[in-house]
C-alpha cells in the first residue's frame, strides 16, 4: 500500500509456511529492494501478514527496527545473501 501524500509504503507478506525459517530474510530483502528503488522521502514498512507465522511478532519487530536493519546490512555475509535474493536470474 502506497501513500504518496504521507510518503509511506506498507507491504504485508505471507511466508510459505507458518514455521518458515527464511521469513526474516524474505522481509529484509523486500525492505532493501524498496529502499533502493524508492525516493529517500518514503518510509518503508514491511511486515508479516497477521496470523501467518508463528514468530510474526519477533520478525516484525526486527524489520521495524532501523538500527537492527542497518546492523544486518553492515554484515557483509548477510548483505551478500540479500543481494543474491534480489539479483535477476537468467
Amino acid at each position: 500500500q502506497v501513500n504518496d501524500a504521507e510518503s509511506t509504503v506498507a507491504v504485508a507478506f505471507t511466508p510459505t509456511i507458518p514455521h518458515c525459517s527464511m521469513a526474516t530474510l524474505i522481509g529484509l530483502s523486500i525492505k532493501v529492494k524498496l529502499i533502493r528503488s524508492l525516493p529517500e522521502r518514503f518510509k518503508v514498512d514491511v511486515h508479516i501478514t497477521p496470523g501467518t507465522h508463528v514468530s510474526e511478532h519477533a520478525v516484525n519487530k526486527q524489520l521495524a527496527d532501523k538500527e537492527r536493519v542497518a546492523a544486518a546490512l553492515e554484515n557483509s555475509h548477510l548483505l551478500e545473501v540479500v543481494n543474491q535474493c534480489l539479483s535477476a536470474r537468467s
Side-chain angles (χ1 to χ4, degrees), residues 1-9 41-43:
Q1 184 173 354
V2 178
N3 185 328
D4 196 34
E6 294 184 15
S7 298
T8 60
V9 175
R41 68 182 174 93
F42 280 93
K43 180 182 182 295

Side-chain angles (χ1 to χ4, degrees), residues 18-76:
H19 291 75
C20 180
S21 62
M22 304 281 284
T24 305
L25 178 60
I26 293 167
L28 183 60
S29 297
I30 293 168
K31 189 166 189 133
V32 167
K33 180 64 174 179
L34 290 170
I35 289 169
R36 290 177 180 174
S37 302
L38 294 169
E40 286 185 30
R41 68 182 174 93
F42 280 93
K43 180 182 182 295
V44 176
D45 172 37
V46 176
H47 56 274
I48 293 178
T49 304
T52 62
H53 195 272
V54 295
S55 301
E56 168 190 335
H57 178 72
V59 173
N60 287 343
K61 186 175 179 180
Q62 286 181 323
L63 293 173
D65 188 329
K66 284 183 181 182
E67 291 178 8
R68 288 175 111 175
V69 170
L73 297 178
E74 288 176 4
N75 178 317
S76 60

Side-chain angles (χ1 to χ4, degrees), residues 29 32-33 36 79-90:
S29 297
V32 167
K33 180 64 174 179
R36 290 177 180 174
L79 182 59
E80 184 179 329
V81 173
V82 168
N83 286 332
Q84 287 176 357
C85 290
L86 298 177
S87 68
R89 294 197 174 35
S90 50

